[in-house]
């Protein structure tokens, strides 16, 4: 299923009360949040995707430089960085992120 259709299908579901869908039309940002454990999918401009699980591990589709622990990182697709606190940043495709998020949030459909 194409990415846009899969996203539309996920956003149109009726979820349990612990799941909140947020939309900011002005900034073209959509979020699906599990209020119980902080798991979240954020889609910005339908181009930048990120998914954070209940353990605060992140999967990102955008490849921007970032500074952590005094070092600069220039990620490439497929890279992964683990912070000193154990949180992991993973850089992957939008399709992979949407698949992970769909698998998670579909368990919470009412």
């Amino acid at each position: 299923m194409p990415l846009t259709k899969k996203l539309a299908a996920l956003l149109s579901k009726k979820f349990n009360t612990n799941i909140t869908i947020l939309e900011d039309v002005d900034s073209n940002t959509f979020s699906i949040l599990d209020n119980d454990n902080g798991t979240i999918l954020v889609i910005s401009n339908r181009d930048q995707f990120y998914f954070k699980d209940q353990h605060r591990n992140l999967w990102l589709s955008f490849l921007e430089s970032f500074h952590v622990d005094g070092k600069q990182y220039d990620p490439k697709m497929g890279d992964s960085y683990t912070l000193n606190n154990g949180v992991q940043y993973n850089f992957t495709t939008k399709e992979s992120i949407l698949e992970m998020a769909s698998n998670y949030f579909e368990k919470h459909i009412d």
Side-chain angles (χ1 to χ4, degrees), residues 20-58:
T20 302
I21 297 178
L22 306 166
E23 180 179 0
D24 183 343
V25 178
D26 293 335
S27 67
N28 199 20
T29 300
F30 303 89
S31 303
I32 304 174
L33 170 66
D34 182 334
N35 297 301
D36 291 343
N37 65 22
T39 297
I40 190 169
L41 169 68
V42 177
I43 300 154
S44 180
N45 295 320
R46 296 195 186 266
D47 187 38
Q48 297 180 340
F49 286 52
Y50 87 77
F51 179 67
K52 181 183 75 154
D53 69 13
Q54 63 269 23
H55 306 292
R56 296 184 6 219
N57 296 309
L58 294 170

Side-chain angles (χ1 to χ4, degrees), residues 6-22 31-36 39 41 51 98 100-110:
K6 188 165 188 149
L7 176 57
L10 183 62
L11 290 171
S12 68
K13 302 290 185 197
K14 181 172 174 24
F15 291 100
N16 298 332
T17 58
N18 63 307
I19 304 298
T20 302
I21 297 178
L22 306 166
S31 303
I32 304 174
L33 170 66
D34 182 334
N35 297 301
D36 291 343
T39 297
L41 169 68
F51 179 67
L98 187 55
M100 283 187 284
S102 293
N103 288 339
Y104 178 82
F105 287 108
E106 286 176 354
K107 296 174 188 172
H108 298 276
I109 294 174
D110 192 15

